[in-house]
Amino acid sequence: MLMRPTLTLPPLTQFTLLRLSLYSRTMISTLRPRRRDSPAMSTSSTLASSVPVPRPSASLVVINSRNEILLVHRNPKARSFGGMTVFPGGNYDQKQDSSLAITAIRETFEESGLLLASSDGASSGLSLADAELDDARHSIHQQKLFFQDFLKSNSLNADTDALLPFTQWITPVGPPRRFHTQFFVAFLPASPSAGFVSGAKQERIPKPDGGQEVISARFVHPNEALCEFREGKITFMPPQFYILTTLCDILKGSRNTDEQRAQVEKLSRGAFGRMVINPRPRKPEGDDLIKGYSILTYEGDETRGGSKGRLHRAKLRMVNGAIKEIILQRNFDIFRDIESQLFQTTSKL
């Protein structure tokens, strides 16, 4: 079933994140003291030449009329982000994507079957049955069909105007694969997403090797998703946790309101939507060290150029290399008090 967003907004890259184990090992090794004769003490030019350039990518936070957010669960055996719960998204493909907004819409269609597109011209409604949509998304995923060709042949336009930029995140230096991810937010119309929400819609995506990349997709309220994370039922990385925590403070109740949409749009159009976040590990001290927390600092933190006393960081507790707890520390108003000069203002594309 075609889901057509109702917002008409100006067009507008979770971390399409590194793998959890790689991220955890990187942060742990960063915090561990190094010997003077460690290979890490090589020349700066050698280090610079070995640091991989972040790949442009995009991720989409889809919100339905019940204030639920689309989450996909990746197969534990997947090459990237195995076993994690994420927003749909993936790498920019220059053969298929004319923009990062198109990347976000294409990846959402591939991973969940949810197509954010509108009928072209004066025609209305969707002429494609669910089975046809599923066949198309599988072919696009396997690169047997280009997404733009699929849209054109069915007189559809991707609803890029409905996507609101909602921060960018860059993978820290360390892992062999790094990403510069543009997050977007999009609201669905009031019509119910029957079938998809109930799980009746096909959710598995075959890959050329016969494996499974995403094993399920569902809509869940951000408050419920955060509760599941705290109970150990699902796993998030810092970007998803950051965005869900932010939206949880806005999307109160089970009915989407004009005021809530306006607040999200205000964040998107302001300094928050333009933030480019480069997490950096910081060695824990005092109680944090005693309690076994790892620290990630973000731009705007007092240790990253922010005003004295300003906190913009996350405390993480890890068990066997897996993140079990995240505490976001952000003691400033994201609507009014972001020190925007501390954040990059341009994306990779």
Side-chain angles (χ1 to χ4, degrees):
M1 183 176 76
L2 179 68
M3 307 304 301
R4 183 182 303 166
T6 56
L7 290 181
T8 303
L9 303 167
L12 299 176
T13 216
Q14 43 186 51
F15 266 100
T16 299
L17 311 159
L18 16 66
R19 211 167 186 169
L20 180 58
S21 59
L22 283 175
Y23 188 94
S24 303
R25 288 201 298 270
T26 298
M27 187 153 61
I28 291 173
S29 63
T30 301
L31 300 177
R32 182 182 298 130
R34 296 184 182 275
R35 294 170 47 194
R36 288 186 177 275
D37 59 352
S38 167
M41 302 300 288
S42 58
T43 64
S44 58
S45 60
T46 301
L47 286 173
S49 64
S50 64
V51 174
V53 176
R55 304 178 184 183
S57 60
S59 188
L60 183 55
V61 184
V62 182
I63 305 172
N64 68 14
S65 61
R66 294 175 296 282
N67 282 336
E68 297 168 333
I69 291 175
L70 177 61
L71 296 175
V72 297
H73 182 72
R74 296 186 60 80
N75 192 313
K77 297 181 180 180
R79 180 184 177 191
S80 298
F81 328 123
M84 291 195 292
T85 298
V86 299
F87 309 123
N91 292 339
Y92 170 81
D93 184 345
Q94 61 181 354
K95 294 181 180 180
Q96 297 216 65
D97 306 329
S98 57
S99 68
L100 287 167
I102 291 293
T103 301
I105 292 175
R106 173 181 58 78
E107 288 284 350
T108 297
F109 180 50
E110 288 183 25
E111 294 186 355
S112 71
L114 184 66
L115 178 61
L116 276 72
S118 302
S119 298
D120 193 9
S123 60
S124 61
L126 177 64
S127 59
L128 294 175
D130 281 354
E132 293 177 283
L133 287 172
D134 282 331
D135 287 342
R137 90 183 226 247
H138 297 158
S139 296
I140 293 167
H141 180 80
Q142 296 175 0
Q143 299 186 343
K144 296 178 179 179
L145 172 68
F146 282 159
F147 183 56
Q148 298 283 19
D149 291 342
F150 160 69
L151 294 176
K152 184 177 180 180
S153 65
N154 289 281
S155 300
L156 296 171
N157 291 317
D159 285 332
T160 55
D161 288 357
L163 271 58
L164 298 166
F166 215 69
T167 70
Q168 299 174 40
W169 291 72
I170 300 177
T171 305
V173 174
R177 302 176 68 200
R178 302 178 64 215
F179 303 93
H180 184 154
T181 304
Q182 171 70 65
F183 286 86
F184 295 99
V185 168
F187 288 93
L188 293 181
S191 58
S193 48
F196 178 83
V197 171
S198 66
K201 194 172 186 64
Q202 184 176 354
E203 297 174 340
R204 296 180 182 271
I205 303 175
K207 297 179 65 176
D209 62 3
Q212 299 286 334
E213 183 173 318
V214 171
I215 60 176
S216 68
R218 61 180 176 136
F219 279 98
V220 58
H221 194 280
N223 185 57
E224 182 180 345
L226 291 171
C227 286
E228 290 184 12
F229 171 70
R230 287 191 290 268
E231 294 169 359
K233 296 178 180 179
I234 56 178
T235 303
F236 289 133
M237 292 293 283
Q240 293 98 330
F241 185 87
Y242 188 100
I243 290 173
L244 283 169
T245 300
T246 299
L247 291 173
C248 190
D249 292 336
I250 298 174
L251 304 177
K252 305 290 187 181
S254 58
R255 185 177 66 86
N256 194 239
T257 68
D258 291 340
E259 181 181 359
Q260 290 170 346
R261 291 187 180 216
Q263 285 184 292
V264 172
E265 182 179 345
K266 184 177 180 180
L267 282 181
S268 172
R269 296 184 185 280
F272 179 90
R274 298 189 297 272
M275 287 197 308
V276 181
I277 300 177
N278 297 264
R280 292 182 186 172
R282 177 178 174 82
K283 189 173 182 178
E285 301 174 346
D287 285 346
D288 289 337
L289 179 60
I290 295 172
K291 294 178 180 179
Y293 284 112
S294 299
I295 308 296
L296 281 181
T297 62
Y298 306 140
E299 283 80 353
D301 188 87
E302 64 176 359
T303 65
R304 302 281 302 276
S307 301
K308 183 176 177 58
R310 178 161 292 199
L311 298 179
H312 195 204
R313 60 180 66 180
K315 301 200 306 184
L316 290 71
R317 189 192 304 277
M318 299 185 184
V319 178
N320 297 325
I323 298 176
K324 297 299 183 182
E325 180 184 6
I326 303 177
I327 300 174
L328 175 61
Q329 294 183 311
R330 187 177 62 192
N331 62 356
F332 56 93
D333 191 306
I334 56 176
F335 286 93
R336 300 189 304 267
D337 298 332
I338 291 177
E339 297 174 317
S340 56
Q341 74 278 7
L342 302 176
F343 294 84
Q344 299 179 28
T345 57
T346 58
S347 66
K348 292 294 180 181
L349 290 179

